[in-house]
Amino acid sequence: MRLPSALAALFPASRPRGDGADENLLPIHPFTLEEEDDDGDGSSSTASTPLYRGTPKPARPYLAPSSSSSHRPSIFTLRRVAIPLVLLVLLYHAVDYLWSDPEKWDNSWSETIWRPKLIRLSNIIHASGRRYEGLVDPGGKFVSWRGIRYAKVPTGLLRFRKAEPLGPAKLDVGEDWEYVNATKYDEGCPRLDPTGQGFIGKEDCLSLNVHAPVSRLPDVLLPVLVWRYIMAAVSDGFGEPGVEVLMITINTFPLVISNSVLWSLNKRPSINTLHLVPIAPSSNADGYGYGAPTTSSGWSPLPSQYLPSPPTAVAFDPASPLLFASTSTGTIASYFCSPSTGLSGRYTSYRSHWGPVGECSIDSTGILSVGGGQVMPGTKGRGGSIKMANRRGMALWTVETDPPVALSTFAYTPSRSSEIITTGPGVGTEVYAVNVNRGSIVRRQQVPPVPILHLRRSTQLVASTMSGSIALLDTRTSELSVQESVLAHTGGISQIETEGNYIVTVGFTTRQGLPLPDPFLKLHDVRYLRPLSPIPFPTPPALVKFHPRLSSTVVVASAEGRVQMLDLKEVGKGAVFQVDTPSYLTSMAIAPTGEGLAFGDADGYLHLWSAQEDAKFARFEGEIEMPDTAEPPERIDWREHTPLNSIGMPFYTSPLLSLLPASMDYVPAPAHHVKKPLDPSILATVKTVDFVGYAPYPPAARAAARRNQIPPRIASSMRGIATPMFRSERERQVNKKGRIVSIDNKVTVEDEENADADMPKHYRKVEIKYSRFGVEDFDFGFYNKTEYSGLETHITNSYTNSLLQALHYTGPVRTLAESHTYSACAKENCLLCEAGFLFKMLGDAKGKNCQASNFSRAFSASPQVAALGLVDHDSEAANVAYASLIQTFNRFLLEQMTAESDSPGLKPSLIKAIPDALFKAPLAQLLKLEAKTVSHCASCGAAPMRDTSLSCLDLIYPRRALSNELPPPSDFASILRNSIHRETVARMVCTACRQANHLRIRRILADAPLPPVLVVNAGVRTSEELEVWLDGRQGPGERFLQPSFSIARMGDAITVSSPAKEVVTDGVTYELKAMVVQIQAEGDPPHLVALAKVSPKANSWHIFNDFLVRPVSEQEALSFAGTWKIPAVLFYQRVDTTELIDFTSLPLSGDPDVLCQDITISKNRDPSLVKHEPLRQDELPRKGMLVSIDAEFVSLQQEEAEFHSDGTKKVIRPSRMTLARVSVLRGEGPDTGIPFIDDHIHTSDPVVDYLTEFSGIRAGDLDPFASRHTLVPLKVAYKKLRLLVDLGCVFIGHGLNKDFRIINIFIPPDQIIDTVNIYHQAHRQRKLSLRFLAWAVLHSAIQADTHDSIEDARTALQLYEEHNRLEAEGTWEDVLEENFKVPTVKPPAAPRVDTSSPALGALVGHEDRSVLYSHRNA
């Protein structure tokens, strides 16, 4: 079936194969022409020629003369069909040529349409001083140069070496060229004779053959087709090409080998000028998957590493620049790898298994591997094992199989990330399920469902079998079972990999009963185990790996080293390169970033390839833990009394006598508690009945310790601290006596005179005891007799109390935090705002206990808190290192508050000496220590610097001196100086020479003023570092910590003096203001306390042990007399802070206009439910102005309590409440009783109980998208109340102490009028409720179905007015006594009638209240 020759000439790019058209024409345009059915058989075919875009210039179109045809068209056809068609084609070629090459538009029409003259190629080519004579094929189409040597003969000393290039041409006398006969093919490389008669070929086969078309167009470059000989290749083609290409065959007889690669030629076809560029495969090419050329792969080889044993498996470390290689001898070694220098040496090497290592996996935990199969020492069988080791080779855990089984594969189960399934090859090999967290076998299966060869994890557990099948295993039951299976390779599977829904396999196929490498990469869908279209490869694939970042991309490598990256969705995309291996590849690994490849071959070479110059092999570059420096043994000062145990043990091979055999069952005797003697007062009341004594258990003993529970014995220095009585108990005892007497307000666990003076009692941990009246019944005043307030401990994360106290007494930080509360900060959970509110409350409380509940709530809302492990879930845990925890919290808090102080816009200047251009965040100006880090490279000498700033300085302690060294200085001044000039050595890549070297990194101070506040983390981690702080180490009576130090600059270096010098030249002096220490007493859980200098006066140091506050001396504060006191954080302040800092640019008072604004974040507020009217400008509060307030709360955490057998109840943890609604009413003026604040409070914490019966809050009222009320954030409502307090308003309400406690705000007592205290008699314990007082005094019914804060606040205001009226009439005492009589009728619960009129609130007269009551009940 052929085209008419005229049409074939017009469409040279679509010439049919094998027809009689002019075959000297070259392809020009990339399109496909469907042939006409000329023979009438109804068949049709399509012939196409690919476009080779590597040519620099397109060929000029031309017209070819028509050739005769047996089917000559008629005149009618020529006139009606051929002529119009020829014209259309001519027009098409002209337009196409002009469009594709606009530079030639100026050429004449004749030059662009007429065909140029073809160039005929000669069979003689001159190159490199040689004259090559080729042979024209009998058909006259192609000329061939055969058997051209391109390297020296690979025999003798050159055998098994890299091919060496040919030397210069050998010229005869008078000749300019060396003649080379290139008309005969070489015999080719040694290979099997296809007839089975042994081997053919010769060892000297380094030759190539070049075939080119005889005729071609001028300036037209031809595509190049290169065939390379491979031993395992099979000929399945023609002898010479049949299309216009330049074909080169290397190391082969005239056979076209199947592993072809396309190349592009960018110079004329001369043998010595070939410049070959590899081209990626294309899906639109021939059956081998190659087509149009593309760009270079970009992969480049790095220096290889020779291993003594060939690697069986290689793997990259995802967390550090290490490459792990396992061997058949059972060892696993790791090597440093770098994208710039390649493999640069071994890091570790350890024996992992007694036998070959099957598979290994590296993650953050360590190196997990399976293997075995050889005889282990001390055993008889060939055991297998599963091992988890760290990167230094130390075993974390090892599981030995019993009975011994050689393991070769494992995979994580799809359902659990902590469980693996592992087994070995062969029929009947047991299957084990191992928990990698515990390092133990969970279950085993003696008979596997199929003989498993490989295991991989996908959405299901995928296994390959020894028969070449793929099986899906069900891991949901106790024993594995096969769900589905499918045959993949008839000769077996050599490797299987899974990713997403893909399963790819490589293996063997069976031909004539013998297994041969399968040239296809098999694909399956794991969801249905359905085979997908296989991908053919010229060289059979031997290794395959999925790309870690491109789920549909695989890296395929053949045993001969040909590597190809292939996209399973678009097979035509990828890259190809060749690994230079002297043998064959045995293993492959791809870096977690996808930018590195590693290959191991049979000769022991480890090859490394990089995708680009700045590639990264690890996801994140972690520091590699280098081996510890082996310290030589200390020199023994041998004397007469030198103990023998100071001599080290010699090397020994036999067991020592001290090694007890396993047969000896040595069980130590259990330790028993010593029986605690009974109190003599209890023995005196014992009554004996039938040899059993009975006595009442006194309440004092019950309060001191639980009954029938013996506490552990503790050292004499750890005696209990005194605990107070509850306030209600003390009042009852006073009332029983009938007069005020001196009452012993403490019950001690041990006698005071037995206490050891090593640790004062006020350092011991204090706890809040709860009665049935809640935390308000606890006597906090027993622990604090000072004017400085403590913080309570019943809230979450109360371990932060000590650091908050230290910050509070650091003046610049406190002032900045308080001023930030007056700014327009829009962040809801702002830690700087909450710290400012807390500092303001601590300053106003004047010794009353406070709590940091709002700060704790904002702190817990930060997502970084949980990630850093700063949440204290169990504050009573004995193993919590609070010293390290508070230092981490300190670093986080300072960085967070620094960022929050950085408000947009112009930043105020706080330091007078800094120009305006250097303004930073306000808190950064107070805390940041500006420095520069210098990295010195020992190789190239470069020393680049980078700026850095420190919010807190970590102390670095000197290492222990060797026996032949002088001890380094360990005083505070030397340690502080070395910590500022912190010097380390790390192995890093130098930015200048781009080499991985050991860099000396040193920190120097920048040319900037030292900060007003210097925060230091003590960083004590070991007992040796704690010994540095102990008193008396440098001499009797000498302390390590001094109250001050001075810093002076000397160029890049500094000098530190402690204590500070009286006169400091070019330096500053810092004074210790506060510090946080951990108290670790024997037998008690650790806790934190703060020591602060509360005023500039002498002897002003105080200890803040949560809510215990008492003064201490400076000697006691700075002393570290024992190991029970561990330093954590120190706060220093410059002595010239007052002259250095200017806070006038910060807001130091609140803006009262916020009370005139109607703020809400509710998206669906109902105007009919708005009951408040914001203040007008003429109503702004003034000092002494009366306001009435009431608040409602919801529960975030239920109360936890335990009930004893005697019926008593002990509260373990009280309920946690939060503000849900607050209402503030005008208490004077014409609008008395009208609320100006009625806000519902938005909370992001989960509410466990809305307490609707008592609060009136329902689900959805606190949700911005569902609430119909005025809804504001807690910080907005708190700011309004804080502003009223600062302006001096007087608050009227009922039970305000508890309300203000939950709101977490302190109100001075002279600004509170509480109707609970007004309507109370001192000699009575009973306190009257608001509902009862409204019924008994006002004759009105409130709280009918639920509570309403506006109604309750208005009722309290009416009760206060009624009290003033009765006082004026002189009948107040009589009315109060009458109210305390037990009423005969309970207050009625009439339906509530809501009224917003002030006349019905506070301004109605006494005579009209009975009418109002009757009206409401009507």
Side-chain angles (χ1 to χ4, degrees):
M1 182 178 61
R2 306 185 317 182
L3 283 175
S5 57
L7 296 181
L10 291 175
F11 295 88
S14 302
R15 183 182 65 256
R17 297 179 181 177
D19 60 7
D22 189 357
E23 295 182 339
N24 293 325
L25 304 181
L26 296 178
I28 295 177
H29 299 292
F31 64 90
T32 301
L33 177 65
E34 297 186 358
E35 300 181 358
E36 297 178 349
D37 184 14
D38 293 338
D39 51 4
D41 56 358
S43 63
S44 63
S45 62
T46 301
S48 64
T49 300
L51 172 64
Y52 300 98
R53 300 189 183 274
T55 57
K57 295 181 181 180
R60 297 181 180 180
Y62 54 90
L63 286 175
S66 302
S67 59
S68 60
S69 174
S70 58
H71 300 276
R72 189 175 302 276
S74 62
I75 297 177
F76 180 82
T77 305
L78 289 175
R79 184 177 302 172
R80 295 295 181 91
V81 178
I83 295 177
L85 186 58
V86 170
L87 294 177
L88 289 175
V89 171
L90 289 175
L91 181 61
Y92 168 81
H93 277 280
V95 173
D96 181 79
Y97 180 79
L98 295 176
W99 183 262
S100 62
D101 197 357
E103 296 179 358
K104 298 183 179 181
W105 285 4
D106 295 335
N107 297 339
S108 63
W109 180 260
S110 61
E111 293 180 353
T112 59
I113 196 170
W114 294 113
R115 163 185 168 185
K117 184 178 180 181
L118 295 178
I119 297 177
R120 186 171 181 85
L121 186 63
S122 173
N123 65 328
I124 297 179
I125 291 181
H126 298 79
S128 301
R130 293 179 175 86
R131 176 177 179 177
Y132 296 90
E133 180 179 359
L135 182 67
V136 180
D137 73 318
K141 302 176 183 178
F142 284 86
V143 60
S144 301
W145 293 269
R146 305 171 181 178
I148 300 176
R149 178 176 301 280
Y150 63 87
K152 292 183 179 180
V153 179
T155 57
L157 296 178
L158 299 181
R159 182 178 288 110
F160 304 117
R161 297 290 186 268
K162 181 181 289 187
E164 294 187 5
L166 289 174
K170 299 179 181 179
L171 304 179
D172 294 334
V173 179
E175 296 288 337
D176 296 332
W177 305 91
E178 179 186 356
Y179 175 80
V180 178
N181 185 1
T183 58
K184 296 182 180 180
Y185 286 111
D186 195 30
E187 295 184 15
C189 295
R191 60 193 182 279
L192 288 174
D193 190 352
T195 61
Q197 301 297 326
F199 288 86
I200 60 175
K202 63 179 181 179
E203 188 177 1
D204 179 16
C205 60
L206 301 184
S207 62
L208 54 83
N209 311 309
V210 181
H211 309 275
V214 173
S215 301
R216 66 181 183 90
L217 291 173
D219 299 332
V220 174
L221 303 183
L222 302 181
V224 181
L225 185 63
V226 179
W227 303 93
R228 185 170 60 90
Y229 174 72
I230 297 297
M231 286 291 294
V234 179
S235 172
D236 42 47
F238 40 86
E240 294 172 354
V243 294
E244 289 78 13
V245 296
L246 178 64
M247 187 178 73
I248 301 175
T249 62
I250 304 176
N251 296 6
T252 181
F253 198 63
L255 298 177
V256 179
I257 309 304
S258 59
N259 56 329
S260 59
V261 181
L262 279 180
W263 307 79
S264 65
L265 179 64
N266 61 358
K267 292 190 178 182
R268 295 192 176 185
S270 180
I271 301 301
N272 67 327
T273 57
L274 292 180
H275 179 73
L276 306 179
V277 182
I279 292 175
S282 176
S283 60
N284 62 352
D286 55 5
Y288 301 114
Y290 297 93
T294 58
T295 59
S296 175
S297 65
W299 289 84
S300 58
L302 300 173
S304 302
Q305 180 84 19
Y306 176 76
L307 309 183
S309 300
T312 58
V314 291
F316 284 87
D317 191 343
S320 58
L322 294 177
L323 179 66
F324 286 81
S326 57
T327 65
S328 58
T329 60
T331 61
I332 296 179
S334 59
Y335 301 85
F336 294 102
C337 62
S338 171
S340 58
T341 60
L343 298 171
S344 56
R346 189 173 66 184
Y347 174 61
T348 55
S349 178
Y350 66 97
R351 177 177 287 278
S352 180
H353 306 277
W354 293 94
V357 179
E359 293 178 353
C360 66
S361 174
I362 299 110
D363 55 14
S364 59
T365 306
I367 298 93
L368 178 63
S369 60
V370 298
Q374 294 182 359
V375 178
M376 294 183 294
T379 62
K380 298 181 180 180
R382 297 179 178 270
S385 60
I386 308 103
K387 188 172 186 177
M388 175 71 79
N390 60 16
R391 285 164 174 78
R392 298 189 64 176
M394 305 299 294
L396 302 178
W397 53 261
T398 304
V399 177
E400 305 287 346
T401 58
D402 185 22
V405 175
L407 304 176
S408 62
T409 183
F410 74 95
Y412 283 85
T413 57
S415 58
R416 303 180 184 92
S417 60
S418 61
E419 184 177 293
I420 64 170
I421 303 296
T422 179
T423 185
V427 181
T429 304
E430 292 188 357
V431 180
Y432 298 89
V434 181
N435 189 296
V436 297
N437 290 337
R438 301 194 301 265
S440 61
I441 297 178
V442 179
R443 60 186 182 277
R444 67 177 62 185
Q445 185 175 350
Q446 294 184 353
V447 181
V450 289
I452 299 174
L453 193 60
H454 302 93
L455 287 172
R456 292 295 181 267
R457 176 185 180 179
S458 182
T459 55
Q460 303 184 55
L461 189 62
V462 182
S464 66
T465 66
M466 300 184 66
S467 61
S469 300
I470 302 175
L472 300 183
L473 303 182
D474 188 3
T475 60
R476 295 172 296 181
T477 57
S478 59
E479 293 188 353
L480 298 178
S481 60
V482 178
Q483 292 181 328
E484 293 181 75
S485 64
V486 65
L487 181 63
H489 300 270
T490 57
I493 296 176
S494 60
Q495 190 175 0
I496 181 173
E497 295 295 333
T498 61
E499 181 66 32
N501 296 323
Y502 283 113
I503 303 176
V504 296
T505 58
V506 295
F508 298 87
T509 184
T510 303
R511 292 186 181 179
Q512 299 179 357
L514 298 177
L516 294 176
D518 196 337
F520 289 91
L521 180 72
K522 299 295 184 68
L523 278 74
H524 291 79
D525 192 332
V526 72
R527 294 169 293 185
Y528 313 104
L529 208 60
R530 177 174 55 89
L532 305 176
S533 299
I535 301 176
F537 285 84
T539 53
L543 303 169
V544 62
K545 289 287 184 182
F546 271 94
H547 197 286
R549 292 187 174 180
L550 306 175
S551 59
S552 62
T553 300
V554 293
V555 181
V556 185
S558 65
E560 296 78 19
R562 182 178 176 277
V563 183
Q564 178 176 349
M565 301 191 71
L566 186 67
D567 192 342
L568 299 179
K569 296 182 179 179
E570 297 183 30
V571 182
K573 294 184 177 180
V576 180
F577 60 91
Q578 177 71 33
V579 177
D580 188 11
T581 172
S583 56
Y584 58 92
L585 301 182
T586 59
S587 56
M588 178 178 69
I590 184 168
T593 59
E595 299 179 1
L597 288 171
F599 305 90
D601 61 19
D603 284 358
Y605 284 95
L606 203 57
H607 307 275
L608 195 62
W609 285 67
S610 174
Q612 50 193 5
E613 292 182 359
D614 56 345
K616 293 184 179 180
F617 290 166
R619 289 196 182 99
F620 46 92
E621 292 288 344
E623 293 186 2
I624 301 178
E625 184 179 6
M626 303 302 296
D628 297 332
T629 304
E631 298 182 0
E634 296 182 4
R635 185 178 182 85
I636 300 175
D637 187 11
W638 188 261
R639 298 182 181 181
E640 182 180 357
H641 300 289
T642 300
L644 295 179
N645 60 3
S646 61
I647 304 175
M649 291 294 295
F651 178 79
Y652 60 91
T653 57
S654 58
L656 300 177
L657 294 178
S658 58
L659 179 62
L660 297 178
S663 58
M664 295 184 61
D665 187 13
Y666 176 74
V667 180
H672 299 282
H673 293 288
V674 180
K675 184 177 181 180
K676 182 180 179 181
L678 294 176
D679 191 349
S681 61
I682 298 178
L683 296 177
T685 59
V686 171
K687 295 181 179 179
T688 304
V689 179
D690 295 335
F691 308 102
V692 179
Y694 297 90
Y697 200 58
R702 183 185 303 116
R706 295 185 180 180
R707 185 173 56 183
N708 300 330
Q709 183 175 353
I710 301 176
R713 292 180 61 84
I714 58 177
S716 59
S717 61
M718 296 309 303
R719 306 301 179 185
I721 194 170
T723 55
M725 287 185 178
F726 290 114
R727 297 168 58 185
S728 56
E729 291 180 353
R730 186 175 57 188
E731 290 178 1
R732 282 197 299 268
Q733 290 194 15
V734 171
N735 293 333
K736 286 180 181 180
K737 299 288 184 179
R739 62 185 182 276
I740 303 296
V741 296
S742 176
I743 299 174
D744 184 14
N745 193 33
K746 60 184 178 181
V747 178
T748 59
V749 179
E750 299 289 346
D751 295 334
E752 291 288 335
E753 57 271 13
N754 295 332
D756 196 338
D758 288 345
M759 188 182 76
K761 287 181 176 294
H762 47 266
Y763 282 92
R764 299 176 187 143
K765 187 177 180 62
V766 292
E767 295 181 354
I768 300 176
K769 304 295 182 181
Y770 304 97
S771 70
R772 63 190 181 94
F773 297 106
V775 70
E776 292 82 4
D777 198 25
F778 187 74
D779 187 9
F780 290 100
F782 173 80
Y783 295 94
N784 187 6
K785 308 293 185 183
T786 69
E787 58 178 345
Y788 306 104
S789 300
L791 293 173
E792 301 174 9
T793 61
H794 67 283
I795 62 175
T796 307
N797 299 320
S798 60
Y799 77 92
T800 61
N801 289 346
S802 57
L803 187 69
L804 294 174
Q805 290 280 19
L807 288 171
H808 172 243
Y809 289 102
T810 306
V813 178
R814 179 182 67 247
T815 304
L816 178 63
E818 291 180 359
S819 68
H820 187 71
T821 61
Y822 302 127
S823 64
C825 179
K827 185 177 180 181
E828 181 177 358
N829 297 313
C830 177
L831 294 181
L832 188 57
C833 282
E834 298 299 341
F837 290 137
L838 178 63
F839 296 161
K840 181 67 175 176
M841 181 169 56
L842 288 173
D844 295 343
K846 302 299 181 182
K848 300 294 182 180
N849 59 291
C850 302
Q851 56 178 335
S853 57
N854 288 353
F855 179 88
S856 177
R857 174 193 55 80
F859 168 65
S860 302
S862 175
Q864 302 177 11
V865 171
L868 295 174
L870 299 178
V871 179
D872 187 17
H873 297 285
D874 187 3
S875 60
E876 297 181 357
N879 57 350
V880 178
Y882 281 109
S884 300
L885 186 63
I886 199 65
Q887 293 178 68
T888 306
F889 169 72
N890 173 49
R891 190 177 294 105
F892 162 77
L893 181 62
L894 295 182
E895 293 292 342
Q896 187 71 17
M897 293 197 306
T898 300
E900 292 169 347
S901 68
D902 190 7
S903 58
L906 183 62
K907 300 174 179 59
S909 173
L910 304 182
I911 311 300
K912 299 178 182 179
I914 298 181
D916 296 347
L918 299 179
F919 289 173
K920 301 178 294 186
L923 192 57
Q925 300 179 43
L926 301 179
L927 298 177
K928 290 289 187 178
L929 180 65
E930 302 298 332
K932 293 181 180 294
T933 301
V934 183
S935 302
H936 183 269
C937 179
S939 176
C940 65
M945 291 192 303
R946 60 182 178 87
D947 296 333
T948 181
S949 58
L950 306 174
S951 297
C952 57
L953 180 67
D954 295 329
L955 292 184
I956 305 298
Y957 297 91
R959 64 174 179 85
R960 186 176 182 180
L962 302 178
S963 59
N964 58 351
E965 293 180 343
L966 294 175
S970 58
D971 59 298
F972 180 78
S974 300
I975 293 178
L976 182 62
R977 180 183 65 253
N978 295 334
S979 301
I980 295 176
H981 288 315
R982 181 175 182 175
E983 185 172 339
T984 58
V985 177
R987 183 179 176 86
M988 301 172 60
V989 177
C990 176
T991 57
C993 61
R994 307 296 295 176
Q995 300 293 326
N997 299 317
H998 287 86
L999 304 183
R1000 177 172 168 265
I1001 304 173
R1002 188 171 183 265
R1003 186 167 56 201
I1004 61 175
L1005 290 182
D1007 189 13
L1010 294 176
V1013 177
L1014 182 64
V1015 185
V1016 178
N1017 278 348
V1020 175
R1021 296 176 296 273
T1022 63
S1023 58
E1024 290 80 5
E1025 295 174 350
L1026 180 59
E1027 289 179 359
V1028 176
W1029 289 76
L1030 298 182
D1031 298 340
R1033 188 181 58 85
Q1034 297 179 349
E1038 294 292 332
R1039 288 197 319 262
F1040 173 79
L1041 185 63
Q1042 300 298 327
S1044 62
F1045 69 87
S1046 58
I1047 298 180
R1049 296 175 182 265
M1050 298 180 62
D1052 290 340
I1054 62 171
T1055 59
V1056 181
S1057 302
S1058 180
K1061 298 180 180 180
E1062 295 183 359
V1063 178
V1064 181
T1065 304
D1066 296 333
V1068 297
T1069 300
Y1070 282 93
E1071 180 185 11
L1072 182 63
K1073 298 296 294 183
M1075 63 177 175
V1076 179
V1077 296
Q1078 174 181 315
I1079 305 301
Q1080 179 69 66
E1082 182 181 357
D1084 286 349
H1087 65 285
L1088 299 170
V1089 302
L1091 295 161
K1093 189 175 182 180
V1094 297
S1095 67
K1097 301 179 182 178
N1099 298 325
S1100 60
W1101 282 91
H1102 282 64
I1103 180 176
F1104 294 86
N1105 186 2
D1106 291 328
F1107 50 83
L1108 186 153
V1109 183
R1110 62 167 294 172
V1112 296
S1113 64
E1114 183 181 275
Q1115 172 67 23
E1116 177 184 334
L1118 305 184
S1119 173
F1120 289 86
T1123 57
W1124 52 269
K1125 187 177 180 182
I1126 304 174
V1129 186
L1130 290 83
F1131 293 86
Y1132 287 90
Q1133 182 177 327
R1134 289 177 57 164
V1135 295
D1136 57 348
T1137 302
T1138 305
E1139 298 81 11
L1140 182 67
I1141 302 178
D1142 181 14
F1143 287 111
T1144 57
S1145 58
L1146 297 178
L1148 301 177
S1149 61
D1151 184 7
D1153 289 341
V1154 69
L1155 300 174
C1156 304
Q1157 302 173 7
D1158 186 12
I1159 304 174
T1160 182
I1161 61 174
S1162 176
K1163 306 298 182 182
N1164 300 305
R1165 185 171 71 163
D1166 188 355
S1168 62
L1169 299 179
V1170 177
K1171 303 178 181 179
H1172 68 286
E1173 298 178 5
L1175 293 177
R1176 300 184 298 274
Q1177 288 291 335
D1178 57 346
E1179 294 181 306
L1180 290 178
R1182 63 187 183 281
K1183 186 176 181 178
M1185 176 180 174
L1186 296 178
V1187 295
S1188 182
I1189 186 173
D1190 190 71
E1192 309 294 348
F1193 308 94
V1194 294
S1195 177
L1196 302 180
Q1197 178 181 291
Q1198 297 288 1
E1199 180 184 82
E1200 298 182 16
E1202 63 179 12
F1203 293 89
H1204 300 163
S1205 58
D1206 57 356
T1208 60
K1209 172 186 175 182
K1210 180 181 179 181
V1211 178
I1212 300 176
R1213 184 177 288 106
S1215 61
R1216 187 159 62 96
M1217 315 283 283
T1218 187
L1219 181 64
R1221 183 184 179 187
V1222 60
S1223 299
V1224 183
L1225 282 65
R1226 298 168 173 87
E1228 57 185 48
D1231 294 334
T1232 301
I1234 296 181
F1236 61 91
I1237 297 177
D1238 182 27
D1239 294 337
H1240 286 65
I1241 313 303
H1242 167 63
T1243 177
S1244 56
D1245 296 330
V1247 179
V1248 299
D1249 191 355
Y1250 285 94
L1251 305 174
T1252 305
E1253 181 182 357
F1254 307 101
S1255 66
I1257 306 297
R1258 293 175 172 80
D1261 289 350
L1262 310 182
D1263 187 355
F1265 299 96
S1267 178
R1268 302 170 60 200
H1269 306 276
T1270 300
L1271 190 68
V1272 298
L1274 177 61
K1275 189 169 72 171
V1276 174
Y1278 194 94
K1279 276 189 173 183
K1280 294 179 180 179
L1281 298 179
R1282 180 76 258 175
L1283 186 61
L1284 294 176
V1285 176
D1286 296 340
L1287 293 176
C1289 294
V1290 178
F1291 295 85
I1292 303 173
H1294 194 83
L1296 292 182
N1297 287 335
K1298 186 173 184 179
D1299 289 357
F1300 290 145
R1301 178 185 180 82
I1302 300 177
I1303 298 174
N1304 196 23
I1305 190 172
F1306 178 80
I1307 311 295
D1310 57 352
Q1311 292 182 237
I1312 297 178
I1313 299 176
D1314 198 336
T1315 53
V1316 168
N1317 300 326
I1318 293 177
Y1319 289 86
H1320 177 66
Q1321 293 181 330
H1323 62 280
R1324 296 178 182 269
Q1325 296 185 10
R1326 180 187 174 194
K1327 294 184 178 180
L1328 304 179
S1329 66
L1330 181 65
R1331 180 182 177 187
F1332 174 79
L1333 291 176
W1335 173 75
V1337 178
L1338 303 179
H1339 307 289
S1340 62
I1342 64 171
Q1343 302 173 0
D1345 51 355
T1346 184
H1347 287 228
D1348 182 86
S1349 57
I1350 294 180
E1351 182 184 54
D1352 294 348
R1354 184 177 294 130
T1355 302
L1357 182 60
Q1358 294 173 0
L1359 289 174
Y1360 174 69
E1361 292 176 348
E1362 184 67 13
H1363 161 263
N1364 293 339
R1365 188 186 67 81
L1366 296 176
E1367 277 265 332
E1369 295 177 357
T1371 59
W1372 166 244
E1373 296 294 337
D1374 298 336
V1375 175
L1376 183 62
E1377 184 68 26
E1378 185 69 21
N1379 289 334
F1380 270 92
K1381 295 181 180 179
V1382 179
T1384 57
V1385 181
K1386 293 179 64 177
R1392 189 182 67 194
V1393 179
D1394 188 17
T1395 172
S1396 58
S1397 173
L1400 299 180
L1403 302 181
V1404 292
H1406 176 69
E1407 298 79 4
D1408 298 331
R1409 288 197 174 95
S1410 59
V1411 179
L1412 175 62
Y1413 175 76
S1414 302
H1415 172 73
R1416 288 185 174 180
N1417 286 281

